[in-house]
Amino acid sequence: MGSLEVEKTAIGWAARDPSGVLSPYTYTLRNTGPDDLQVKILYCGLCHSDLHQVKNDLGMSNYPMVPGHEVVGEVVEVGPEVTKFKVGDIVGVGLLVGCCKTCRPCKQDIEQYCAKKIWNCNDVYTDGKPTQGGFANFMVVEQKFVVKIPEGMAPEQAAPLLCAGVTVYSPLNHFGFNQSGLRGGILGLGGVGHMGVKIAKAMGHHVTVISSSDKKRQEALDHLGADDYLVSSDNEKMLEAADSLDYIIDTVPVNHPLEPYLSLLKVDGKLILMGVINTPLQFVSPMVMLGRKSITGSFIGSMKETEEVLQFCKEKGVTSQIEMVKMDYINTAMERLEKNDVRYRFVVDVAGSKLDQ
């Protein structure tokens, strides 16, 4: 996995407490082990779950914490047992950097459900040291948890696909919603939601964006290519749309009622939860019983699916819509993200930033 014989210094931006404010932080990386890559980080996306982590919303945060799990970089060193990558490759690293490799999920190549998975930040690696994320200049990662960015794909465009993209692709693929002709709903039009619209459209689906207000209608229809737009408070339109959708991807990261959206599903339809919410959600059981509907969840995607979504997006010409910022803007970006004031994903130009000030 790695050795502590020679430690290298990295500079990142870390939160020190639940205020979530990030500032420069110097720490050590483990030596590049036989199966490891050292990656010079070029870009890193900002995900809503980074906010949850730095602010200790789930009560599990450890500080100092360098967040960031949509990491794109260049390989600068490889261990002697690395076979998939070489120095100079442009690669991606997502949320996971370790798993047990022996449990059922690991053996089925769905390591994101391993009970002993290791997060890329706010966790403890096998050497007993804290893991730190992608808002930094370097990281060391085992080759299993690295993917190659397809040739010709802009690296900054690839960053959101490593979390937001695969988070949508995985359930559509797993639940059989990857054939054309289906009718899908995307609830919430943020970083994950906008990738949901683009990927579902690329699969040949009729896509309805569902939102709490009308303010994103033009963006959804004209810029992202959605086919329809529903405002959840418009009771008449919601009633008209009842029993019309095969699935709904629910990306909303705050508490919200489920019944209005369950009513939109056809018989055997699925409401797929993706937002990280730290309070209980409620619904009345007849809403699922009387249509044999399912409420289910999905968590990021496997390494295999991450490779697949990158290739899918390259072949279909799917791109993410990003706002590029430097690291000295990260705290403002987090404030804006909390207010949903971004179209649709912040990506930090890490290599172009002065990390030590």
Side-chain angles (χ1 to χ4, degrees), residues 152-210:
M153 179 177 281
E156 66 274 17
Q157 281 286 338
L161 301 180
L162 301 170
C163 176
V166 74
T167 292
V168 172
Y169 178 87
S170 178
L172 292 178
N173 184 53
H174 172 74
F175 292 119
F177 295 132
N178 52 1
Q179 70 266 34
S180 63
L182 297 175
R183 299 179 72 90
I186 306 295
L187 177 55
L189 197 58
V192 176
H194 100 283
M195 288 310 310
V197 174
K198 291 191 164 210
I199 289 173
K201 285 298 297 178
M203 288 180 173
H205 299 179
H206 181 284
V207 177
T208 299
V209 169
I210 310 160

Side-chain angles (χ1 to χ4, degrees), residues 36-348:
D36 291 337
L37 316 174
Q38 185 182 158
V39 177
K40 177 187 177 184
I41 298 170
L42 303 175
Y43 302 99
C44 187
L46 174 60
C47 176
H48 203 280
S49 61
D50 290 317
L51 281 179
H52 286 303
Q53 292 273 33
V54 298
K55 290 179 176 290
N56 196 27
D57 288 343
L58 304 178
M60 300 183 297
S61 297
N62 298 293
Y63 303 98
M65 181 203 307
V66 177
H69 57 263
E70 295 178 340
V71 183
V72 175
E74 179 183 352
V75 178
V76 294
E77 186 181 6
V78 297
E81 295 176 17
V82 171
T83 56
K84 295 169 60 179
F85 306 96
K86 64 184 185 303
V87 170
D89 283 349
I90 303 301
V91 297
V93 180
L95 189 55
L96 300 186
V97 295
C99 65
C100 77
K101 301 179 185 173
T102 59
C103 68
R104 184 178 298 176
C106 284
K107 289 182 176 178
Q108 293 177 341
D109 288 331
I110 48 173
E111 58 283 323
Q112 72 270 35
Y113 300 114
C114 171
K116 296 180 180 178
K117 59 184 167 287
I118 301 174
W119 311 103
N120 88 326
C121 74
N122 194 36
D123 207 343
V124 178
Y125 200 64
T126 54
D127 58 8
K129 294 181 67 175
T131 59
Q132 303 290 6
F135 293 158
N137 55 356
F138 291 99
M139 68 192 321
V140 175
V141 194
E142 183 189 346
Q143 67 171 333
K144 175 179 173 60
F145 300 96
V146 181
V147 293
K148 194 170 290 187
I149 302 302
E151 203 169 319
M153 179 177 281
E156 66 274 17
Q157 281 286 338
L161 301 180
L162 301 170
C163 176
V166 74
T167 292
V168 172
Y169 178 87
S170 178
L172 292 178
N173 184 53
H174 172 74
F175 292 119
F177 295 132
N178 52 1
Q179 70 266 34
S180 63
L182 297 175
R183 299 179 72 90
I186 306 295
L187 177 55
L189 197 58
V192 176
H194 100 283
M195 288 310 310
V197 174
K198 291 191 164 210
I199 289 173
K201 285 298 297 178
M203 288 180 173
H205 299 179
H206 181 284
V207 177
T208 299
V209 169
I210 310 160
S211 188
S212 58
S213 76
D214 214 30
K215 66 182 182 181
K216 295 184 180 178
R217 179 184 295 273
Q218 186 174 358
E219 297 170 44
L221 299 177
D222 298 345
H223 299 159
L224 298 180
D227 300 286
D228 208 349
Y229 190 94
L230 270 178
V231 178
S232 55
S233 58
D234 187 335
N235 295 330
E236 185 178 337
K237 293 292 185 184
M238 290 286 283
L239 197 58
E240 287 176 11
D243 304 315
S244 66
L245 302 178
D246 295 292
Y247 66 86
I248 295 173
I249 300 284
D250 182 347
T251 73
V252 176
V254 295
N255 199 308
H256 57 286
L258 300 184
E259 281 99 339
Y261 312 110
L262 288 167
S263 69
L264 301 176
L265 294 171
K266 298 176 181 178
V267 171
D268 289 328
K270 283 185 167 55
L271 177 64
I272 306 168
L273 302 178
M274 293 186 176
V276 177
I277 302 168
N278 61 356
T279 54
L281 298 176
Q282 292 183 321
F283 63 95
V284 292
S285 59
M287 290 296 298
V288 292
M289 293 165 56
L290 297 178
R292 202 164 60 193
K293 300 172 185 179
S294 303
I295 299 172
T296 186
S298 183
F299 177 63
I300 53 169
S302 65
M303 298 311 302
K304 181 173 179 291
E305 288 170 324
T306 305
E307 292 174 341
E308 287 175 8
V309 75
L310 287 167
Q311 198 57 43
F312 175 86
C313 288
K314 185 191 175 187
E315 290 172 1
K316 299 289 186 178
V318 175
T319 58
S320 50
Q321 288 190 214
I322 63 174
E323 180 177 337
M324 192 92 78
V325 298
K326 294 286 176 50
M327 192 67 79
D328 59 8
Y329 189 79
I330 190 64
N331 291 306
T332 303
M334 286 188 157
E335 290 172 6
R336 286 180 53 195
L337 177 59
E338 202 160 21
K339 299 171 186 172
N340 202 22
D341 176 25
V342 56
R343 301 294 182 268
Y344 284 93
R345 199 64 147 193
F346 284 116
V347 173
V348 180

